[in-house]
Amino acid sequence: AAAAVIQTIPGLALLAVMVPLLAALHLRSIGFLPALIGLTLYGLLPILRNTVTGIAGVDPALKEAARGVGMTAHQQLRMVELPIALPVIVAGVRTATVWTVGMATLSTPVGAPSLGNYIFSGLQTRNFTAVLVGSVAAAALALALDALVHGVEVGIRHRRRALLAGCAGGAALLAVWAAAPLVTAAARPAQPVVIGAKTFTEQYVLAELLADWIRDATGLPSEIRASLGSTVAYDALASGDIDLYVDYSGTLWATILRRDGAPPSREAAVAEVARFLRERDGVELVADLGFENAYALAMRAADADRLGIATIADLARHAPGMTIGGDYEFFSRPEWRALRETYGLRFAEQRSMDASLMYQAAALGEVDVISAFSTDGRIAALELRVLDDDRAAIPPYDAVVLASARLAREHAEVVAALRELAGTIDATRMRAANLEVDERGRSPREVGRELAASVRDG
């Protein structure tokens, strides 16, 4: 029953809940450990259910015969019931194996590198080759593991030692290959600066910029943990599992400081966020990069012109007949509540979708309005229009570099180098960089390094 309850929890939610739980226990809250625990819990049900079903299906006459020859309950289980139930038990293991491989691709948002890295980043940057590579590789791995487990079962049941040794050896080699990065990371003489990135293009580009900037200024190696969940990224920074990442003052104001309403000004928001994070978690706000990437409502420019909509107040009159699309977080965020309360917004339908698909959905007319990001290059490329927040319901969203207490304490030279980025990137420059990835298909690494070079050149 406990395993069945665990199975009802959505896979991504199960992995995400591991992060605060492990942080509360002062254990590594992102990366391998939360993924291992979450995936193990998720794989229990088919194994347990098939084991119980297999044992219950053993012929009662065989159980009676085992008792008749003097077997204890333990001997009866080990020598009669489990061998007979083995095919049913292994079927459960095989099901759990395939499920777990599929689930493992969702471990990317909790900082565990997996084939999901290709899928998540590919979706966000519209690199469908990467999505295909991740998906096909996951399917091939699931089939290979399923075949190995089946081979072990056949080898045991029919006492075919060569088959058993070959399949067990193959499984062992896969285990060694999977564990190798953990061993090499532990043995690495100089631990890299770990840079986090959330799940959208701008974050990938800025993470590459930070990595290039640190390497050029200090010579220290760096490692990027991409596609982290929004709150996962901050929790990981506060616990020291990552060293730095770029966040936004409005996000921090609403979700970390839990303040209602907009701050009096952009400068006041940044100053209050910096003070609060330093006092509560020891997190340092290192630099305000110089641009704002705010939540915004956007719609097709042609529709806005036809309906005479320029502001969110104008939109409110037409909203009851419209559909709005938002990213996974938007409809549960304080900004959405503030927009509804301030403007009285009531839409006919709300649809949550992947952020990378929202813009295309708006352009194709599948939704009427979306929760856009103001520096996203696809706004102009797809002829969308950002509506004016004329009553200032949405707080300012200045992009800021955050550093962990450990990084500030142990690598002051990195913090000093990053402070040089303050005020160096405006919205136009950031929007152009995002467009290079989203519309022209260039890699975030290439664009991030070019952006770093352009900042150095002034």
Side-chain angles (χ1 to χ4, degrees), residues 29 76 96 169 176 179 227 251 293 353 360 373 390 409-410 451:
S29 59
Q76 178 181 320
V176 170
S227 300
T251 297
N293 183 7
M353 60 186 69
Q360 199 70 24
F373 303 108
D390 47 325
R409 183 176 62 253
E410 299 179 7
L451 184 58

Side-chain angles (χ1 to χ4, degrees), residues 353-415:
M353 60 186 69
D354 190 273
S356 63
L357 304 178
M358 287 191 310
Y359 298 89
Q360 199 70 24
L364 294 175
E366 295 175 6
V367 294
D368 301 299
V369 182
I370 59 170
S371 61
F373 303 108
S374 60
T375 56
D376 199 300
R378 287 170 289 191
I379 292 173
L382 296 176
E383 297 182 348
L384 304 179
R385 179 172 299 164
V386 173
L387 304 180
D388 183 32
D389 178 17
D390 47 325
R391 298 177 188 171
I394 300 174
Y397 273 79
D398 288 280
V400 294
V401 181
L402 302 181
S404 68
R406 187 193 71 81
L407 184 72
R409 183 176 62 253
E410 299 179 7
H411 292 288
E413 74 279 15
V414 172
V415 173

Side-chain angles (χ1 to χ4, degrees), residues 250-276:
T251 297
L252 297 165
W253 179 271
T255 62
I256 305 301
L257 279 65
R258 298 189 180 279
R259 302 292 172 82
D260 293 325
S265 66
R266 291 175 61 179
E267 295 76 12
V270 171
E272 178 61 14
V273 163
R275 184 196 64 78
F276 183 91

Side-chain angles (χ1 to χ4, degrees), residues 322-344:
M322 292 181 165
T323 298
I324 182 172
D327 63 69
Y328 298 135
E329 298 180 12
F330 181 68
F331 296 118
S332 62
R333 290 182 64 89
E335 294 88 340
W336 174 236
R337 292 195 297 273
L339 283 169
R340 287 188 303 170
E341 292 168 3
T342 303
Y343 293 99

Side-chain angles (χ1 to χ4, degrees), residues 259-317:
R259 302 292 172 82
D260 293 325
S265 66
R266 291 175 61 179
E267 295 76 12
V270 171
E272 178 61 14
V273 163
R275 184 196 64 78
F276 183 91
L277 300 187
R278 184 185 304 110
E279 292 179 358
R280 196 190 76 168
D281 298 321
V283 169
E284 289 290 331
L285 195 156
V286 175
D288 179 346
L289 292 176
F291 71 92
E292 183 183 11
N293 183 7
Y295 265 117
L297 298 186
M299 60 187 299
R300 290 179 296 281
D303 289 349
D305 290 336
R306 177 172 55 83
L307 297 171
I309 298 175
T311 68
I312 300 178
D314 296 334
L315 174 67
R317 296 193 296 271

